[in-house]
C-alpha cells in the first residue's frame, strides 16, 4: 500500500515485475481509497517500487524477480538492450507479452505500436469481463495509466480486481520496460533517483533539485497535508510531466482535481 495524505493524494507502489503470488499481489492492487470531491475513489497499482518481499524466496511467493536489483553502478543494467534481456529472463513474463518483448529485443526498444497494442487489448479484456471500456490517462512522455474509479461495494471491487489482474498483469513487463525507456534512460535502480532525474530532464525542477528535496517534500505531504505542503514541494504536484515521471516508475499520484471514472 502506498502513502496517502489526508486530502486523498496517493503515492502508490505498483508491482511491475509481478514478484508476489497472486493473492499477495491483489492485496496491494486494492489501491488507496480517499475522498475526491466527496467521492471515495480507488486507484490501481501496476508497477514496482521494490517490494520488501524481493530477495526472499518462499513457496507462496515463487521465484524471486531481480528486475529492480542494481548493478555495481546503481543501474538496472548497462544498457536498455541488456535490461530487455533481463526482463525476458524474468520468470513472471506471461505468454501474452513475451512476443512483444522479443520484438522489443529485435528493435532495441518498445515501440509506440507495441505499447498502444497492449493497452488496447487491456481495454478489450476489461470489456469482455463486463466492465465499461476503461478510460486511460496518457502523459506527455507517452506513459499510460488507468483512471481512478469511484469505489463500489466489496463484491464489486473484488470483481474489478479479478478482472484487472487478468487484463493488466499479463503485460506488466511491457509497461515497466516502456517506463524505464521513456522516463529513466539512465536506468537508475533507485526509484526516487529515477523520478528526480526525469523531473530535471523535463524541466519541472531546477538542475540543483535533489532526491533529498523530493523525499523531504513527500514527508511534508504526510505530516502537513496537501493544503499546507503543496507550495513547499519545489514543483507542481499536478503537472502532467511530473505525473508522467512517476508513472514511468510505477507510481499513481492523484489529487482532488483528477477525473474519476464511474463503473457502478
Amino acid at each position: 500500500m502506498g502513502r496517502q495524505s489526508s486530502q486523498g493524494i496517493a503515492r502508490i507502489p505498483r508491482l511491475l515485475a509481478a514478484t508476489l503470488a497472486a493473492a499477495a499481489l491483489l492485496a496491494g492492487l486494492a489501491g488507496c481509497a480517499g475522498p475526491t470531491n466527496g467521492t471515495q475513489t480507488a486507484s490501481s497499482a501496476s508497477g514496482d517500487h521494490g517490494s520488501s518481499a524481493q530477495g526472499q524466496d518462499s513457496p507462496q511467493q515463487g521465484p524471486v524477480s531481480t528486475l529492480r536489483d542494481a548493478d555495481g553502478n546503481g543501474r538496472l543494467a548497462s544498457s536498455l538492450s541488456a535490461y530487455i534481456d533481463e526482463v525476458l529472463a524474468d520468470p513472471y513474463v506471461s505468454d501474452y507479452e513475451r512476443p512483444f518483448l522479443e520484438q522489443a529485443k529485435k528493435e532495441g526498444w518498445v515501440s509506440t505500436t507495441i505499447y498502444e497494442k497492449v493497452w488496447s487489448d487491456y481495454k478489450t479484456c476489461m470489456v469482455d469481463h463486463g466492465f465499461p471500456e476503461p478510460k486511460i490517462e496518457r502523459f506527455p512522455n507517452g506513459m499510460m495509466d488507468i483512471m481512478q474509479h469511484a469505489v463500489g461495494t466489496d463484491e464489486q471491487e473484488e470483481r474489478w480486481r479479478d478482472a484487472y489482474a487478468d487484463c493488466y498483469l499479463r503485460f506488466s513487463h511491457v509497461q515497466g520496460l516502456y517506463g524505464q525507456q521513456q522516463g529513466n534512460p539512465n536506468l537508475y535502480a533507485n526509484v526516487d533517483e529515477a523520478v528526480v532525474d526525469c523531473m530535471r530532464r523535463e524541466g519541472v525542477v531546477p538542475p540543483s533539485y535533489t532526491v533529498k528535496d523530493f523525499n523531504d517534500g513527500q514527508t511534508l505531504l504526510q505530516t502537513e497535508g496537501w493544503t499546507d505542503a503543496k507550495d513547499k514541494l519545489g514543483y507542481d504536484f499536478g503537472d502532467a510531466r511530473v505525473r508522467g515521471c512517476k508513472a514511468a516508475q510505477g507510481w499513481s499520484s492523484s489529487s482532488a482535481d483528477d477525473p474519476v471514472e464511474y463503473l457502478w
Side-chain angles (χ1 to χ4, degrees):
M1 186 65 64
R3 294 182 286 179
Q4 183 172 344
S5 77
S6 59
Q7 276 67 37
I9 300 167
R11 178 187 179 193
I12 303 172
R14 297 188 286 176
L15 304 172
L16 157 66
T19 57
L20 303 180
L25 182 60
L26 286 175
L29 295 180
C32 295
T36 303
N37 295 331
T39 302
Q40 193 176 25
T41 62
S43 298
S44 78
S46 49
D48 178 61
H49 191 182
S51 168
S52 61
Q54 287 184 357
Q56 301 177 11
D57 201 0
S58 70
Q60 292 78 22
Q61 202 174 301
V64 175
S65 171
T66 60
L67 291 184
R68 292 300 324 187
D69 288 357
D71 63 15
N73 297 313
R75 309 298 172 100
L76 295 170
S78 60
S79 65
L80 184 62
S81 178
Y83 190 61
I84 294 174
D85 287 336
E86 291 189 22
V87 172
L88 277 166
D90 190 80
Y92 292 97
V93 170
S94 71
D95 291 340
Y96 165 79
E97 65 186 340
R98 183 169 294 279
F100 298 121
L101 294 170
E102 290 174 344
Q103 183 177 344
K105 174 60 180 174
K106 291 178 182 178
E107 297 178 352
W109 67 314
V110 179
S111 68
T112 302
T113 300
I114 288 176
Y115 193 58
E116 291 180 344
K117 167 64 174 171
V118 295
W119 274 103
S120 176
D121 287 353
Y122 167 78
K123 290 192 288 186
T124 300
C125 181
M126 292 298 285
V127 170
D128 289 344
H129 277 274
F131 290 93
E133 181 175 307
K135 294 180 171 62
I136 305 299
E137 292 188 271
R138 188 160 194 166
F139 301 107
N141 61 357
M143 293 303 300
M144 297 187 197
D145 197 5
I146 68 168
M147 188 179 294
Q148 61 184 345
H149 70 263
V151 173
T153 64
D154 289 346
E155 182 180 354
Q156 287 172 329
E157 289 303 312
E158 182 177 3
R159 186 165 67 88
W160 182 87
R161 287 193 298 270
D162 287 346
Y164 177 83
D166 184 40
C167 298
Y168 174 83
L169 294 184
R170 63 180 182 171
F171 75 92
S172 61
H173 289 76
V174 175
Q175 173 76 356
L177 179 57
Y178 192 76
Q180 304 306 336
Q181 171 186 298
Q182 298 299 108
N184 185 23
N186 292 312
L187 296 177
Y188 292 116
N190 181 283
V191 174
D192 293 339
E193 188 173 10
V195 171
V196 170
D197 179 62
C198 178
M199 290 167 61
R200 286 194 295 246
R201 286 184 289 100
E202 291 286 348
V204 295
V205 294
S208 59
Y209 188 82
T210 66
V211 172
K212 182 180 184 301
D213 295 329
F214 179 75
N215 286 327
D216 287 347
Q218 296 301 318
T219 299
L220 284 175
L221 285 170
Q222 301 307 308
T223 57
E224 298 186 9
W226 167 251
T227 301
D228 293 334
K230 63 185 177 76
D231 295 327
K232 304 175 185 178
L233 299 178
Y235 65 90
D236 180 357
F237 184 93
D239 190 310
R241 294 169 296 174
V242 172
R243 296 184 65 191
C245 287
K246 292 180 179 180
Q249 291 304 308
W251 290 354
S252 289
S253 54
S254 59
S255 70
D257 295 329
D258 289 344
V260 177
E261 185 174 18
Y262 292 89
L263 304 177
W264 322 109

